[in-house]
Amino acid sequence: MHVLILGGTTEGRRLAETLDADGVRVTSSLAGRVAAPRLPPGEVRVGGFGGAEGLARWVREHQVDAVIDATHPFAGTISFHAARAAATSHVPLLALRRPGWTPVEGDDWHPVDSLEAAAGAVPELGRRVFLTTGRMGLAAFAEVADAWFLVRSVDPPEPPLPPRAEVLLDRGPFTLEGEREVLRAYAIDVLVTKDSGGAATAPKLTAAREAGIPVVIVRRPPVPDGVPVAATVEEAAAWAHRPGR
């Protein structure tokens, strides 16, 4: 059996480790947006496929038996390409998605549907912004002139950036004490993030709740219609041994 994992996430890497240990041939495909990614075991390819048609062709040429979309919850384009490619190649497809975050008592969340909407919400909520949406899509905040931004990302972001911004290069998982210190040291009064889910970056939400800081949170896009979803690596690994059944 040959399983193609569309990866780049912690879950994708753990799934590759699990299947490789089970003796399954695994190819992990990484987008190549991170300069020094943590490589999973098995075969690895880096870069795009050339749209849904290119992905379908790659699946056929490499005799892939099943595809698991373990990309970031906000990597929407590749997910829809995977759905179309799987349908045309007649190969089963599963989406592995960590559950999203849910607010608890004391949270002051302001859900929005896009980065542009998040940028529009910022001026009403604060002036010192902790922006943790990653380095892609920062152009949405380039016109917000009446706020200062602390932009955290793994690799240096490219312009355009907010006119008043400082870049903090760091990679999760993050600790609660560390996030508390960031909020305190930079006098943050509003947090902007995506609903990525998972534990690695969740401490910032707890720190914001403790400090009484509002959180602008971008809702994740939906999984393509008809694609089954697994919430854990274990569920996805079990499916991989019996794809589509």
Side-chain angles (χ1 to χ4, degrees), residues 99-184:
W101 293 315
T102 55
V104 301
E105 184 177 356
D107 281 327
D108 181 14
W109 284 13
H110 300 259
V112 295
D113 289 325
S114 66
L115 290 174
E116 290 74 18
V122 163
E124 300 297 323
L125 296 173
R127 290 294 180 268
R128 295 185 64 83
V129 185
F130 188 20
L131 185 56
T132 66
T133 56
R135 66 188 180 94
M136 309 300 293
L138 294 179
F141 300 87
E143 302 301 321
V144 183
D146 52 355
W148 177 88
F149 289 82
L150 177 65
V151 179
R152 184 165 70 189
S153 65
V154 175
D155 294 318
E158 297 180 357
L161 300 176
R164 294 192 295 144
E166 179 176 338
V167 175
L168 176 62
L169 298 181
D170 204 354
R171 185 198 298 263
F174 301 103
T175 67
L176 178 55
E177 187 55 41
E179 300 294 58
R180 288 168 175 158
E181 177 58 23
V182 168
L183 299 185
R184 185 201 63 77

Side-chain angles (χ1 to χ4, degrees), residues 39-222:
L39 298 181
E43 302 169 40
V44 177
R45 68 173 304 280
V46 178
F49 290 94
E53 294 77 12
L55 176 53
R57 184 167 53 251
W58 197 96
V59 165
R60 290 192 299 268
E61 291 175 352
H62 292 81
Q63 298 180 330
V64 171
D65 297 294
V67 179
I68 298 179
D69 174 13
T71 56
H72 191 277
F74 283 85
T77 299
I78 184 60
S79 296
F80 282 91
H81 286 174
R84 291 200 296 271
T88 59
S89 302
H90 305 289
V91 171
L93 169 67
L94 176 77
L96 172 56
R97 290 289 185 273
R98 68 187 78 149
W101 293 315
T102 55
V104 301
E105 184 177 356
D107 281 327
D108 181 14
W109 284 13
H110 300 259
V112 295
D113 289 325
S114 66
L115 290 174
E116 290 74 18
V122 163
E124 300 297 323
L125 296 173
R127 290 294 180 268
R128 295 185 64 83
V129 185
F130 188 20
L131 185 56
T132 66
T133 56
R135 66 188 180 94
M136 309 300 293
L138 294 179
F141 300 87
E143 302 301 321
V144 183
D146 52 355
W148 177 88
F149 289 82
L150 177 65
V151 179
R152 184 165 70 189
S153 65
V154 175
D155 294 318
E158 297 180 357
L161 300 176
R164 294 192 295 144
E166 179 176 338
V167 175
L168 176 62
L169 298 181
D170 204 354
R171 185 198 298 263
F174 301 103
T175 67
L176 178 55
E177 187 55 41
E179 300 294 58
R180 288 168 175 158
E181 177 58 23
V182 168
L183 299 185
R184 185 201 63 77
Y186 292 94
I188 298 299
D189 59 10
V190 59
L191 167 66
V192 179
T193 190
K194 295 176 178 178
D195 182 15
S196 301
T201 59
K204 62 190 171 188
L205 301 173
T206 302
R209 180 171 63 250
E210 293 176 348
I213 292 173
V215 178
V216 180
I217 187 161
V218 182
R219 298 183 182 96
R220 58 174 62 180

Side-chain angles (χ1 to χ4, degrees), residues 1-4 24-27 43 58 62-66:
M1 174 175 287
H2 184 195
V3 176
L4 172 63
V24 176
R25 180 188 173 193
V26 178
T27 299
E43 302 169 40
W58 197 96
H62 292 81
Q63 298 180 330
V64 171
D65 297 294

